[in-house]
Amino acid sequence: MELIIQRDKEAAALLAARIVANELRANPHAVLGLATGNTMEAVYRHLVRMHREQNLDFSKCNTFNLDEYVGLAATDPNSYRYFMNKHLFMHVNIKLENTHLPDGRAADLGAECRNYEALIARTGGIDLQLLGIGRSGHIGFNEPLSALRSRTREKALTPTTIKQNAPLFGGEDKMPRRAITMGVGTILDARRCLLLATGEEKAGIIAQAVEGPITSMVTASALQLHQRATVIVDEASATQLKEREYYRWIFANEPEWVEYR
Ligand code: GLP
């Protein structure tokens, strides 16, 4: 795992966006795994700007999002499809038919999950998976006790997650209790994983995920098993990391990061 500390939220999001953009420039047919949440808004803002200013081309890529709430239509402003259209897809030259999210309104949710996995495989697998982290330590909606080999499936949300996301819905009673999410195993199959966390409220969970034991109680910790996982944090999210100075040295000295410094 690589850990990169950036001075603030903006710099961290910009670095994540540059890594995604470079992936796309190196391979215009890249399959991108995408994430939602406040943290990702700044990343997508930078990608939209790069599209406008630097002709960053999305026309040949495919995207697969991590998750979607069960029961929400694409037109619902709280659905992740709506979020993706609003923050990224509507502002770049991506073909909407190449953008994929699980359908939380499918009549047969089990079949929807199996089909999602099959479609990822048919498209060639995910080249770069973008990830946020929830306060429960989840990646996607892989809540505590999610099997580390799990595949796309329906998952009940924890009280922590419901509390975290309920304000967007105008209260806990209005929020779905279930979601479809890629499994931890699905995420670990991506050729590269890139997790972004910013703000002091993520400092504790980031320390657990990066420096703590691999445990299904903090599914982000499963990234320790991945051969190419990069975690980008801002100073506020880095405060509880014990090996901060080591991570800073690596980023400042390893040749692979020279273009990003
Ligand atoms: C939701 C998503 C996660 C995301 C998390 C973080 O729960 N399912 O994939 O990582 O939000 O959200 P935020 O960036 O708003 O803290």
Side-chain angles (χ1 to χ4, degrees):
M1 193 184 263
E2 299 155 328
L3 194 294
I4 300 174
I5 304 171
Q6 294 287 279
R7 85 184 161 276
D8 54 27
K9 191 176 156 183
E10 198 49 36
L14 177 59
L15 176 58
R18 287 177 65 201
I19 292 173
V20 176
N22 282 348
E23 176 79 29
L24 211 45
R25 287 191 190 104
N27 174 17
H29 290 92
V31 180
L32 301 176
L34 299 178
T36 50
N38 291 331
T39 317
M40 293 301 142
E41 288 183 26
V43 178
Y44 297 144
R45 189 162 28 78
H46 283 298
L47 288 173
V48 170
R49 181 181 53 74
M50 289 171 188
H51 168 70
R52 287 191 184 137
E53 293 174 1
Q54 302 160 19
N55 293 323
L56 182 63
D57 181 21
F58 290 81
S59 66
K60 299 183 193 72
C61 76
N62 271 270
T63 66
F64 286 89
N65 265 77
L66 286 166
D67 45 15
E68 180 60 282
Y69 290 109
V70 167
L72 297 196
T75 49
D76 189 312
N78 283 312
S79 73
Y80 285 162
R81 163 54 79 180
Y82 192 95
F83 176 101
M84 290 310 303
N85 287 349
K86 177 174 167 195
H87 292 288
L88 183 65
F89 300 153
M90 291 309 178
H91 312 290
V92 296
N93 64 335
I94 201 161
K95 296 195 178 88
L96 267 189
E97 65 269 26
N98 290 347
T99 68
H100 309 282
L101 285 92
D103 179 1
R105 299 235 297 178
D108 182 344
L109 291 172
E112 174 65 16
C113 295
R114 288 189 295 279
N115 292 340
Y116 201 64
E117 285 279 335
L119 189 58
I120 293 173
R122 269 208 311 284
T123 314
I126 292 168
D127 292 304
L128 173 63
Q129 177 66 58
L130 203 49
L131 298 159
I133 185 169
R135 280 173 192 69
S136 68
H138 67 210
I139 43 177
F141 269 131
N142 289 289
E143 299 288 41
L145 297 193
S146 290
L148 300 184
R149 303 178 75 159
S150 50
R151 311 304 304 187
T152 302
R153 71 217 182 289
E154 234 194 298
K155 195 74 198 158
L157 304 178
T158 58
T160 309
T161 298
I162 291 169
K163 210 185 198 106
Q164 180 185 333
N165 294 358
L168 296 167
F169 289 82
E172 293 189 17
D173 50 325
K174 299 193 185 71
M175 192 183 149
R177 287 293 191 268
R178 304 180 77 80
I180 292 180
T181 181
M182 280 186 201
V184 182
T186 320
I187 293 168
L188 292 181
D189 280 352
R191 287 181 266 279
R192 184 172 185 187
C193 288
L194 179 61
L195 185 145
L196 175 65
T198 55
E200 60 185 336
E201 67 279 9
K202 299 279 175 73
I205 201 67
I206 275 293
Q208 284 186 57
V210 172
E211 295 180 337
I214 297 173
T215 167
S216 63
M217 286 301 289
V218 179
T219 55
S221 69
L223 293 174
Q224 295 175 32
L225 294 166
H226 198 279
Q227 287 187 317
R228 197 142 185 242
T230 305
V231 176
I232 303 174
V233 295
D234 63 354
E235 291 285 354
S237 270
T239 52
Q240 295 189 40
L241 291 167
K242 292 196 194 74
E243 298 293 343
R244 289 198 292 282
E245 295 320 314
Y246 174 61
Y247 310 142
R248 283 191 224 280
W249 189 91
I250 300 265
F251 185 64
N253 290 282
E254 290 292 318
E256 100 167 87
W257 295 111
V258 80
E259 65 175 308
Y260 294 106
R261 294 200 277 265

